[in-house]
Amino acid sequence: VERKRQSPTTDYGPVFGGGTHPNPMLDDNPVIPSQGNKPSASSDPPEGKQNYMDELNGMIGLKRVKSEVASLRNFVIVQKQREKNGLKGMNVSYHCVFSGNPGTGKTTVARIVAGIYKELGILRKGHLVEVQRSDLVAEYVGQTAPKTNAKIDEALDGVLFIDEAYTLSKGHENDFGKEAIDTLLQRMEDDRNSLVVILAGYQDAITGFINSH
């Protein structure tokens, strides 16, 4: 598996990639959380200390996901220790793509990853804001960028989880999905230190979407 800037891989495929564009995670195996229900559209971590790795390890399946998320966690700890000692750290992008069928645990894992990012100091809040096309794209001229920016602002210091992200580019010629994509890409650059974006959807569709942008 090709790696970019020390990018771990999982059952989903490459997870954490270098640069602005994320790498895909691929998985078609059902995942059953050990407890709890699917989080709401805006899901804040519970109060108090939480062991996110224990929660991830408590899920059935995702053997490589568990291994590579643990590798990422250890990698970031080492990088922070290097910086503390005055050594140069490596440039790593934390944006992700989760691709696979519904019911494979993508939202649950995204929430756990958000919590791990908070634990490691990558994100200040570590909350998850889940959106889909209708939350970002408006019906009239001039409304899409403000609508998209509002959701991004809500997700700052946490994770913006875009389900079926490829639908943003599946409109007609005058569709405003492209405006949402352009706004998102600009904010990913402008807020790269306070925003992580996770895209999700079916494998073939999400891979085509990533390759086209």
Side-chain angles (χ1 to χ4, degrees):
V1 177
E2 180 182 358
R3 298 188 178 217
K4 294 182 179 180
R5 301 185 188 178
Q6 300 296 321
S7 304
T9 59
T10 71
D11 282 341
Y12 293 143
V15 186
F16 308 93
T20 300
H21 298 291
N23 284 331
M25 293 179 78
L26 310 175
D27 182 67
D28 292 319
N29 298 318
V31 181
I32 305 173
S34 58
Q35 58 183 0
N37 297 318
K38 181 177 179 179
S40 60
S42 182
S43 179
D44 293 317
E47 295 293 332
K49 183 72 173 178
Q50 181 175 358
N51 192 318
Y52 294 99
M53 287 305 303
D54 280 354
E55 184 176 356
L56 179 61
N57 290 330
M59 299 175 69
I60 297 174
L62 291 183
K63 181 178 180 180
R64 288 182 57 200
V65 172
K66 297 169 184 176
S67 174
E68 295 299 342
V69 170
S71 295
L72 170 72
R73 183 178 181 277
N74 293 334
F75 173 77
V76 174
I77 290 173
V78 170
Q79 293 306 302
K80 288 187 173 296
Q81 187 62 46
R82 286 175 56 87
E83 292 174 4
K84 184 178 179 181
N85 293 334
L87 301 174
K88 185 177 180 180
M90 299 187 68
N91 184 18
V92 177
S93 171
Y94 300 103
H95 304 305
C96 315
V97 174
F98 295 177
S99 66
N101 294 328
T104 53
K106 295 184 293 293
T107 304
T108 301
V109 174
R111 179 180 58 78
I112 292 172
V113 168
I116 291 174
Y117 281 171
K118 177 186 178 183
E119 175 193 44
L120 296 174
I122 296 168
L123 296 171
R124 187 169 62 88
K125 295 181 180 178
H127 62 298
L128 184 77
V129 176
E130 183 179 0
V131 299
Q132 53 189 357
R133 176 188 166 89
S134 61
D135 298 308
L136 305 177
V137 180
E139 297 181 3
Y140 302 104
V141 175
Q143 295 181 345
T144 292
K147 190 172 185 178
T148 300
N149 277 318
K151 281 299 181 181
I152 294 172
D153 289 342
E154 184 182 344
L156 286 179
D157 296 313
V159 170
L160 181 67
F161 181 82
I162 307 178
D163 195 18
E164 297 185 342
Y166 44 80
T167 60
L168 293 176
S169 62
K170 285 191 173 181
H172 52 73
E173 183 178 352
N174 297 321
D175 182 74
F176 301 121
K178 184 179 184 302
E179 183 179 356
I181 294 171
D182 291 343
T183 302
L184 177 64
L185 291 175
Q186 185 61 53
R187 290 295 299 273
M188 287 170 69
E189 175 62 24
D190 294 345
D191 299 299
R192 58 185 177 275
N193 295 323
S194 57
L195 175 68
V196 169
V197 175
I198 298 180
L199 309 179
Y202 288 102
Q203 178 177 340
D204 291 344
I206 201 70
T207 300
F209 174 76
I210 294 300
N211 290 338
S212 66
H213 295 89

